[in-house]
Amino acid sequence: MTFYRCCLVLLAFTWNTSAYGPDQRAQKKGDIILGGLFPIHFGVAAKDQDLKSRPESVECIRYNFRGFRWLQAMIFAIEEINNSPSLLPNMTLGYRIFDTCNTVSKALEATLSFVAQNKIDSLNLDEFCNCSEHIPSTIAVVGATGSGISTAVANLLGLFYIPQVSYASSSRLLSNKNQYKSFLRTIPNDEHQATAMADIIEYFRWNWVGTIAADDDYGRPGIEKFREEAEERDICINFSELISQYSDEDEIQHVVEVIQNSTAKVIVVFSSGPDLEPLIKEIVRRNITGRIWLASEAWASSSLIAMPEFFHVIGGTIGFALKGGQIPGFREFLQKVHPKKSVHNGFAKEFWEETFNCHLQEGSKGSLSFDPFLKSREEGGRNRPNNTTTTFRPLCTGDENITSVETPYMDYTHLRISYNVYLAVYSIAHALQDIYTCSPGKGLFTNGSCADIKKVEAWQVLKHLRHLNFTNNMGEQVDFDEFGDLVGNYSIINWHLSPEDGSIVFKEVGHYNVYAKKGERLFINEEKILWSGFSREVPFSNCSRDCLAGTRKGIIEGEPTCCFECVECPDGEYSDETDASACDKCPDDSWSNENHTSCIAKQIEFLSWTEPFGIALTLFAVLGIFLTSFVLGVFIKFRNTPIVKATNRELSYLLLFSLICCFSSSLFFIGEPQDWTCCLRQPAFGISFVLCISCILVKTNRILLVFEAKIPTSLHRKWWGLNLQFLLVFLCTFMQIVICVIWLYNAPPSSYRNYELEDEIIFVTCHEGSLMALGFLIGYTCLLAAICFFFAFKSRKLPENFNEAKFITFSMLIFFIVWISFIPAYASTYGKFVSAVEVIAILAASFGLLACIFFNKVYIILFKPSRNTIEEVRCSTAAHAFKVAARATLRRSNVSRKRSNSLGGSTGSTPSSSMSSKSNSEDPFPQPDREKEQQQQQQQPLTPQQQRPQQQQHRCKQKVIFGSGTVTFSLSFDEPQKNAMAHKVAKQQNSLEAQNSGDSLARRQALLPLQSSEAGSELDSGDLDSNESVVGDSQPETQIPEEMSPALVVSNSRSFIISGGGSAVTEKKIHS
C-alpha cells in the first residue's frame, strides 16, 4: 500500500512539472537546493479556455533580458559560493529556478513545485521506492520580483515556513509578519520611496499632481502612502487612476483622457514597466507632451518604457533607483553565456535566439548538448499542440558574439536588482554557514541546540535568517530588522537622451538618504536635470499661481486647498515669502509697509517741542511767564502807590508768583513723557492753581468782611492780619499737596506707550495711575474757584479800588468755562492731544486770571497815573459810604412813609432804588450859588499862598439817581503841601439842592438823618492795608461820633456840598 502511495505522489509531481517545457527552468543538483523565481518573460498570451479539452498552461511571451540577467546573478552567486573555501566548505548548493512570466499563476505553479518536493521529502519514502532522480528539498526561495506576485507566493510558502528572500518586492504590506511569516527582502520597502517622492514634489514647490498606480499589491499601497505624505505637505492630487497590463482598451483610453484634460503637469506613477507600457503607448500615439513623470523604482529603469521612440513623451522623467552594487567577475560571467556551455540553464537557448533573432535547430550534427534531465523534459514537451514554431527566423550558427549586440542583458553599469539577487543568495548562504559552524549549547533552538546541516529543514534556515548579521563584499553590514527588511538608500535619476547613439541614459542627479534626519534626507543637483529632455527651467505644476510677497493664499470655496486666490495681507501683517499660507503679525512696535512685505518701525508720537503745535504752546507759555513777570515787576516798582496798596500787595505778589508757576507747569506736558515728568506735571498744575485761587479767595473775602463790619475793631485787625492771610493760603494749598502726595504714593503716574489707538503710530503718553486722584485734584481746585466766585459776586458793590469783583467774576467764569469744557475734551481725545488739551486749558485759565485781575491795574499805573492817587481812592471810598448811607436812608424813609400813609390815609410815591455814581475832575452840574461865589472870588486878587493850594485842589463828584430826581454828591480835596509845617484848611462849600416837583422837602429830610447804625462802617487807615492807610494818609484817626454819617467822614480838613431839588441847605464846616 505504501508503494502505491509513493507512485501516486510521484505521478502527481511529474504531471505538475510537465507543464513546463525544457526551456522553462534552470536546475542543478546539490546538497542543498535553493529555489528561484524570476520574470524571464513579461507576461502570458491571452487565451480563452473553453474547457472542451484539458486546460493547458498558457504561453509566456515578450522576453525579459533584465530578468534573465537577474537569474544569471543567482547562478553566479551559487557557483561563487560553491567555489569558496571558507563559505560552506564540503557543501554544494544546487538550484531550481522557474520563470514566473510576471504573473501570479505561473509563480504559484512554480511554488507548488517547491512545496510538493518538500512534502515528498517529509514522507521519507526512499526506503520504500527507488526514486532514481530524487531532488532534495528546497530550503529557501529567492524571489519573486513584483510585490503582487511575492504576496501570493509568500502566503503559500509561509504555510510551510519556507524562507522567501525577495530582491525586488518593495510593497509595505509585506512587512506584516503576522501574515507573511517567512518573507524577507534585500530591498527597502516603499514607505521610504513614497516619502521621498513627496519630498521631491515639495522641493520643487509643486502642489498640483496626478497619480497613477498599478492595480496590485505594489501600486495600491505605494500610492496610498504617497497620498498620506502629500496631505501632510499640502500637496493636492488632481486625479488618481489604476492601471494594469491586462486593462482593456476603454480603460486605457479613459486614463489617457484624464491625463490630457488635467491641469496637473506632474504625474506620480507607482507601477511596474509591464503594467505601465500600454498607457505610455497610447499617450505616445496621442502625442501628449509637457508632462513630468515621477517614477517609482519598479519602472524607473524599465527597458519597456525607456525607449528612444517614447522619449518626446517621457523624456526628463525623475525616478528612483536602488543603490548600485559591485559584483566582481559578473561581467565576464554574463559574456560567457552560451546555449552549449550553459547546460544547466534551460533559459539560455531562448535567450540566444532572442538576442540574435535566430533559431537554434535541435538534433542536427551540430546540435547542442543539454543536461540529461532537461533533455528528457524537452522531448516530453515537443508534442504539445501549441508549441511555437520559429521557422520565420534564420538558423543560429552558435558563433555569434554576445558583446556585439546591445541589450539590457549586458547593461551592467548599474547593478541594482542584480546586486539584490546576489545579496539574497549570500544571505541564505551565511545562514547555512551559521548552522554549519554552530556549537552545541550556543544554538538558536531549544536548550541552545544546533540544527544538522546535512538534514537541515527550511524553518531552521528561517530562524537563522532572522538573526543574520554579516558583512557583504562592499564592507556593508547586512542584517534584517524585525520586519524582515533591509534599510537602504535611493539614487535619483533623470532620463537623458544619449547624443552618441540616441538611447536613453539614466543620469544620477541626487540621492535620498533614509538614515538622515528629516529635512536633510534629500539632495538634488538641479544643474544636472533636463526637464522634458532639454529644458533647464523647472516646470510649473500648481493649481494657482504663486502668491507674491505681501499676500497670502485665500481659500476658494468648493476647491481643493491647493487652489486658492491671492489675498493681500491686512494692515499690521506681512509676508516676506511667496506663496505664504498666512501673514505674520508685525511686532507691537512695528507696522507693515505699503506692500505688506516687511514691517517698519511705527512712528512714535507725542507733543514734541519741535512740532508747530508744541512750539506754539511753548511760546504762549513763555509769553504768559513773561507777562506775569512784567506785571510783578510793575507792582514791585510801584509798590507804594495807592492802587498797589489797595490791592493788598503781599497777596498780589504771591498771586503773581502762582501764575508764573501755572504757566510753567504747562511746560511739563510738552516733550516726550518720562516717568519723572509724568509724576510732576499734574501735581505742579494742581498745586499752582490752588495757590493762585487761594490768594484770590483770601484777598476777596478779607475786603468783603472789613467793609461789612459795622465798626472796625482790634479783633478785625488781628483776625485779618497779614500772617493769618498767608496761613489761610497755606492751609488751602496744603490740602492739595496732601492729595498729590497720596496720589503719588499709591498710584504714581508713569510714561506709557499706547500701541492700540492708531495702527501706524505709537503714542507716548502718561498713564495717570488713578483717574479718581486726578478727579480729586481738579475737583478741589474747582471747589475753591466756586467759593471764590461766590465771594467775588457778593463783593461786587465795594469801592472799585478795593473791589476787583467784576474782574474776579469774569476770571472765575473763564476758569469754569475752560475746565468744564476740558472734561469732555479730555475724555474724547487721545494720544498727544490729551496733553495739548490740558496745556490749552492751563494757559487759557492762567491768561484769564492774569488779564482780568491785573491788566486793568497795570494800565492805570502805566498809562493813567492821574487815577493812581489818594484822592481817587478816597473818593471811591466816600462814594461807597454815601451810597450805603443813602440806600439805608431810603429804606427808612420808605418804611416811615408807609406807616404815615397807613395812619393818615395819604399815598405817596416810592422812589426808585436804582442809583448811578460818577467820579470826575469837573463838575457837570454847576449850581447858582457856586457860580456866584466863584465870580466874587475871581474879582478878588489872590495871594501867592492862596494860588498854590488852589492849583492843587481836585474835585470828585458822584451822582445818584433816585426815581425822578437826581442827587449829586461832590467832594473837593486839597493836596498836602510839600515841606509844609501844617496843612492849610481850604474853603469848601456845601450845598444841598433837591429838585423834585412835589416832594423836595421830604427827600431832603430823608438824606440828612443818616445814621451810622444803618450804614457800613468806614475802613480806618490801619484796617485796609495792614498797617498802612488805604487812602495813603498817615494822619491820626479822628474820633467820629457814632451818630454822624459815615458818608461825611471821609478825610481830614475837607468840606463837602450836598445839593438837590430846588432849594439849598447849607451845613457848617466840619473840621477834624
Side-chain angles (χ1 to χ4, degrees):
M1 189 66 184
T2 305
F3 174 77
Y4 289 109
R5 181 185 298 177
C6 176
C7 293
L8 289 174
V9 172
L10 290 176
L11 286 174
F13 175 73
T14 302
W15 179 86
N16 178 61
T17 58
S18 65
Y20 288 85
D23 57 346
Q24 292 182 330
R25 75 168 61 185
Q27 181 169 305
K28 185 179 180 180
K29 293 183 178 180
D31 299 326
I32 299 175
I33 300 298
L34 302 183
L37 297 173
F38 294 92
I40 308 303
H41 295 85
F42 284 113
V44 295
K47 185 176 181 179
D48 185 17
Q49 300 286 354
D50 56 5
L51 301 180
K52 292 181 179 180
S53 60
R54 175 175 293 182
E56 296 180 357
S57 177
V58 292
E59 181 182 1
C60 297
I61 58 175
R62 301 170 60 200
Y63 195 81
N64 183 3
F65 288 95
R66 293 179 67 205
F68 184 71
R69 187 181 71 212
W70 300 339
L71 180 147
Q72 288 287 81
M74 179 176 178
I75 295 175
F76 174 79
I78 292 175
E79 291 184 359
E80 192 176 62
I81 294 171
N82 290 334
N83 296 327
S84 173
S86 59
L87 192 60
L88 296 177
N90 303 321
M91 297 288 296
T92 303
L93 294 180
Y95 53 83
R96 294 175 65 202
I97 302 174
F98 296 96
D99 180 14
T100 63
C101 298
N102 203 36
T103 59
V104 174
S105 60
K106 288 292 184 180
L108 289 178
E109 190 175 356
T111 304
L112 285 173
S113 174
F114 301 141
V115 173
Q117 182 61 45
N118 287 13
K119 293 305 293 180
I120 292 175
D121 289 346
S122 65
L123 294 177
N124 296 321
L125 299 178
D126 293 344
E127 56 181 301
F128 299 100
C129 60
N130 184 16
C131 300
S132 59
E133 296 185 1
H134 171 68
I135 300 176
S137 299
T138 303
I139 53 94
V141 176
V142 176
T145 307
S147 296
I149 298 174
S150 290
T151 300
V153 171
N155 281 321
L156 183 56
L157 294 178
L159 295 174
F160 304 97
Y161 292 94
I162 300 174
Q164 175 189 357
V165 183
S166 176
Y167 49 85
S169 300
S170 56
S171 174
R172 61 189 183 122
L173 296 179
L174 293 169
S175 296
N176 185 356
K177 296 298 107 178
N178 292 325
Q179 185 174 358
Y180 309 104
K181 302 179 179 63
S182 62
F183 181 83
L184 302 97
R185 53 188 163 188
T186 57
I187 184 174
N189 67 43
D190 288 333
E191 186 167 355
H192 298 294
Q193 187 175 186
T195 303
M197 284 183 168
D199 287 343
I200 286 182
I201 293 174
E202 184 179 30
Y203 177 85
F204 289 110
R205 303 178 65 85
W206 297 325
N207 64 10
W208 191 239
V209 299
T211 62
I212 297 175
D215 191 12
D216 55 21
D217 288 339
Y218 170 72
R220 288 191 300 268
I223 212 66
E224 181 183 354
K225 176 62 178 178
F226 172 78
R227 287 198 194 98
E228 296 174 2
E229 296 292 335
E231 185 176 355
E232 293 180 3
R233 294 164 174 80
D234 293 330
I235 300 171
C236 298
I237 298 176
N238 180 227
F239 64 88
S240 184
E241 299 293 334
L242 296 175
I243 59 173
S244 171
Q245 62 177 323
Y246 304 112
S247 299
D248 56 31
E249 189 67 20
D250 292 338
E251 293 176 346
I252 296 298
Q253 292 292 339
H254 168 72
V255 176
V256 172
E257 289 178 0
V258 169
I259 295 174
Q260 189 172 13
N261 297 329
S262 172
T263 57
K265 302 302 180 182
V266 175
I267 303 175
V268 179
V269 181
F270 252 97
S271 174
S272 63
D275 288 327
L276 183 62
E277 184 185 19
L279 178 66
I280 295 298
K281 286 183 176 180
E282 182 61 24
I283 292 175
V284 170
R285 190 185 68 82
R286 295 194 183 190
N287 195 27
I288 301 174
T289 59
R291 302 300 190 272
I292 301 300
W293 300 85
L294 194 56
S296 64
E297 178 274 330
W299 73 274
S301 57
S302 173
S303 59
L304 290 178
I305 310 299
M307 300 178 67
E309 55 269 28
F310 297 164
F311 188 78
H312 67 286
V313 171
I314 47 83
T317 296
I318 301 293
F320 288 88
L322 298 175
K323 183 178 179 182
Q326 297 178 0
I327 306 177
F330 186 54
R331 177 179 181 181
E332 293 76 11
F333 180 80
L334 291 177
Q335 295 176 353
K336 292 179 181 179
V337 65
H338 194 278
K340 186 177 180 179
K341 297 178 182 179
S342 304
V343 293
H344 301 288
N345 190 347
F347 302 103
K349 176 178 178 293
E350 185 178 4
F351 165 74
W352 195 268
E353 293 176 342
E354 294 293 335
T355 301
F356 300 104
N357 194 22
C358 62
H359 173 63
L360 287 173
Q361 186 176 6
E362 307 295 341
S364 62
K365 181 178 180 181
S367 63
L368 302 176
S369 61
F370 294 95
D371 183 272
F373 177 80
L374 294 178
K375 186 175 181 179
S376 63
R377 300 298 306 152
E378 177 187 0
E379 293 174 351
R382 281 180 180 175
N383 298 324
R384 284 184 301 169
N386 294 328
N387 192 25
T388 303
T389 61
T390 56
T391 57
F392 63 93
R393 289 181 176 180
L395 290 175
C396 300
T397 63
D399 297 329
E400 293 84 358
N401 186 4
I402 193 66
T403 59
S404 63
V405 181
E406 290 186 2
T407 61
Y409 172 77
M410 294 302 296
D411 184 13
Y412 46 79
T413 54
H414 299 287
L415 300 177
R416 297 184 175 93
I417 301 297
S418 299
Y419 184 77
N420 286 348
V421 175
Y422 180 81
L423 190 61
V425 175
Y426 265 88
S427 298
I428 299 172
H430 277 279
L432 294 172
Q433 178 69 15
D434 291 341
I435 297 175
Y436 181 78
T437 59
C438 178
S439 301
K442 297 181 180 180
L444 300 178
F445 305 103
T446 306
N447 299 323
S449 60
C450 298
D452 185 1
I453 190 63
K454 295 180 180 181
K455 297 180 180 181
V456 65
E457 297 184 28
W459 64 271
Q460 295 172 329
V461 177
L462 177 61
K463 179 67 172 178
H464 278 271
L465 279 172
R466 291 178 178 178
H467 294 81
L468 183 65
N469 191 344
F470 73 99
T471 303
N472 61 13
N473 65 328
M474 297 179 62
E476 297 175 346
Q477 203 71 20
V478 178
D479 59 335
F480 296 99
D481 60 16
E482 58 181 334
F483 303 107
D485 301 334
L486 287 181
V487 180
N489 299 325
Y490 292 98
S491 295
I492 300 174
I493 59 176
N494 183 221
W495 289 17
H496 291 191
L497 192 64
S498 175
E500 298 176 357
D501 55 4
S503 63
I504 295 179
V505 294
F506 308 119
K507 183 74 173 180
E508 186 171 345
V509 295
H511 61 266
Y512 187 83
N513 185 5
V514 298
Y515 296 99
K517 61 182 180 181
K518 191 174 183 180
E520 299 180 359
R521 298 174 180 173
L522 180 66
F523 170 77
I524 293 180
N525 187 353
E526 294 188 48
E527 297 179 355
K528 295 182 178 181
I529 299 178
L530 289 179
W531 302 102
S532 298
F534 59 88
S535 176
R536 295 286 183 181
E537 182 181 358
V538 178
F540 179 82
S541 183
N542 297 70
C543 183
S544 303
R545 287 287 176 181
D546 291 344
C547 293
L548 300 178
T551 60
R552 64 171 180 84
K553 297 186 293 186
I555 298 175
I556 301 177
E557 187 175 357
E559 295 291 336
T561 57
C562 299
C563 300
F564 51 82
E565 58 183 353
C566 296
V567 181
E568 186 178 3
C569 292
D571 292 337
E573 298 182 6
Y574 75 101
S575 65
D576 55 358
E577 59 183 10
T578 59
D579 207 20
S581 299
C583 297
D584 298 323
K585 190 175 182 181
C586 290
D588 290 339
D589 58 350
S590 301
W591 193 250
S592 56
N593 61 359
E594 184 177 357
N595 297 327
H596 301 277
T597 56
S598 62
C599 291
I600 57 177
K602 286 184 179 180
Q603 178 184 352
I604 298 178
E605 188 168 302
F606 52 87
L607 190 58
S608 174
W609 298 98
T610 57
E611 64 176 293
F613 196 30
I615 293 174
L617 293 177
T618 303
L619 290 178
F620 276 108
V622 173
L623 177 63
I625 295 172
F626 173 76
L627 291 178
T628 308
S629 301
F630 174 76
V631 173
L632 179 61
V634 170
F635 266 57
I636 293 176
K637 182 177 181 180
F638 297 93
R639 60 186 176 278
N640 293 322
T641 59
I643 290 282
V644 177
K645 290 182 179 181
T647 56
N648 198 338
R649 59 188 176 191
E650 284 79 8
L651 283 179
S652 297
Y653 297 158
L654 187 58
L655 176 58
L656 289 170
F657 170 75
S658 65
L659 284 175
I660 293 175
C661 294
C662 290
F663 284 113
S664 301
S665 67
S666 65
L667 298 177
F668 286 109
F669 293 84
I670 304 175
E672 183 175 359
Q674 305 291 335
D675 289 342
W676 67 273
T677 56
C678 292
C679 290
L680 283 181
R681 64 181 194 172
Q682 296 292 3
F685 143 71
I687 294 172
S688 300
F689 265 92
V690 166
L691 178 61
C692 177
I693 295 175
S694 298
C695 292
I696 300 173
L697 176 62
V698 172
K699 178 180 177 182
T700 305
N701 191 34
R702 169 184 171 274
I703 296 175
L704 177 65
L705 293 180
V706 169
F707 269 97
E708 288 187 351
K710 295 180 180 180
I711 300 176
T713 62
S714 60
L715 180 61
H716 291 123
R717 300 188 187 97
K718 180 179 180 182
W719 181 252
W720 287 109
L722 185 61
N723 293 333
L724 185 58
Q725 295 173 38
F726 282 117
L727 177 61
L728 292 177
V729 172
F730 170 76
L731 290 177
C732 292
T733 308
F734 181 74
M735 289 296 297
Q736 187 76 306
I737 295 174
V738 170
I739 293 175
C740 294
V741 170
I742 296 174
W743 180 8
L744 296 178
Y745 179 78
N746 291 322
S750 60
S751 62
Y752 167 70
R753 290 178 177 258
N754 195 319
Y755 301 95
E756 300 175 356
L757 292 178
E758 288 192 14
D759 296 332
E760 302 179 10
I761 300 175
I762 300 176
F763 289 101
V764 184
T765 59
C766 285
H767 186 271
E768 302 300 348
S770 173
L771 291 178
M772 181 180 295
L774 180 62
F776 273 116
L777 184 142
I778 298 177
Y780 179 68
T781 305
C782 293
L783 175 63
L784 292 181
I787 298 174
C788 184
F789 176 79
F790 170 75
F791 285 132
F793 180 80
K794 189 174 182 181
S795 60
R796 67 189 183 281
K797 297 180 181 180
L798 294 181
E800 292 183 1
N801 297 79
F802 299 96
N803 177 27
E804 298 149 336
K806 178 171 61 177
F807 304 110
I808 293 176
T809 302
F810 285 146
S811 65
M812 290 299 105
L813 285 175
I814 293 173
F815 183 88
F816 280 121
I817 291 173
V818 167
W819 290 107
I820 290 175
S821 303
F822 164 78
I823 294 174
Y826 185 87
S828 61
T829 55
Y830 60 88
K832 67 178 182 180
F833 301 105
V834 174
S835 299
V837 165
E838 194 160 357
V839 170
I840 292 172
I842 292 173
L843 294 178
S846 301
F847 274 113
L849 293 174
L850 178 64
C852 292
I853 296 176
F854 291 102
F855 280 4
N856 181 54
K857 294 178 176 58
V858 172
Y859 174 77
I860 294 175
I861 292 173
L862 297 180
F863 302 105
K864 297 290 184 180
S866 60
R867 295 178 60 183
N868 189 14
T869 60
I870 297 174
E871 284 70 20
E872 287 292 330
V873 177
R874 290 172 177 170
C875 179
S876 178
T877 305
H880 171 73
F882 173 76
K883 285 185 281 186
V884 173
R887 194 177 296 111
T889 302
L890 288 176
R891 286 198 299 267
R892 293 188 60 177
S893 63
N894 289 335
V895 173
S896 300
R897 186 179 295 108
K898 289 179 181 179
R899 289 178 181 177
S900 61
N901 290 337
S902 62
L903 294 175
S906 61
T907 61
S909 61
T910 303
S912 174
S913 61
S914 62
M915 297 181 289
S916 66
S917 61
K918 183 177 182 181
S919 177
N920 298 312
S921 59
E922 298 181 357
D923 189 359
F925 303 101
Q927 302 300 328
D929 293 342
R930 180 180 292 268
E931 293 178 357
K932 183 177 181 180
E933 183 177 356
Q934 289 178 356
Q935 291 175 1
Q936 292 176 359
Q937 290 178 355
Q938 290 176 1
Q939 294 175 0
Q940 296 178 359
L942 296 176
T943 63
Q945 290 80 6
Q946 294 174 340
Q947 292 176 357
R948 186 178 299 112
Q950 187 174 358
Q951 294 172 357
Q952 299 176 358
Q953 188 178 27
H954 297 273
R955 183 173 297 172
C956 177
K957 291 185 173 67
Q958 299 286 340
K959 181 178 69 174
V960 183
I961 299 175
F962 294 93
S964 60
T966 301
V967 176
T968 300
F969 177 63
S970 178
L971 295 177
S972 296
F973 300 96
D974 292 335
E975 292 294 336
Q977 298 286 340
K978 290 185 179 179
N979 301 323
M981 297 298 293
H983 292 285
K984 295 185 178 181
V985 180
K987 294 182 180 180
Q988 298 181 0
Q989 298 179 355
N990 303 320
S991 62
L992 178 63
E993 297 176 4
Q995 299 176 358
N996 195 353
S997 58
D999 198 16
S1000 61
L1001 181 61
R1003 188 178 300 277
R1004 181 172 64 253
Q1005 291 176 352
L1007 291 173
L1008 292 177
L1010 298 177
Q1011 301 297 327
S1012 60
S1013 60
E1014 302 283 338
S1017 300
E1018 180 193 10
L1019 288 170
D1020 57 26
S1021 60
D1023 291 333
L1024 289 180
D1025 198 12
S1026 302
N1027 303 326
E1028 291 193 31
S1029 175
V1030 174
V1031 295
D1033 236 3
S1034 60
Q1035 301 292 335
E1037 296 184 12
T1038 302
Q1039 300 297 330
I1040 302 171
E1042 186 178 355
E1043 65 273 7
M1044 188 174 294
S1045 172
L1048 304 179
V1049 185
V1050 292
S1051 65
N1052 298 328
S1053 300
R1054 299 294 182 267
S1055 62
F1056 63 90
I1057 299 172
I1058 302 177
S1059 62
S1063 60
V1065 179
T1066 303
E1067 298 293 340
K1068 65 178 181 179
K1069 296 180 181 180
I1070 300 174
H1071 302 282
S1072 58

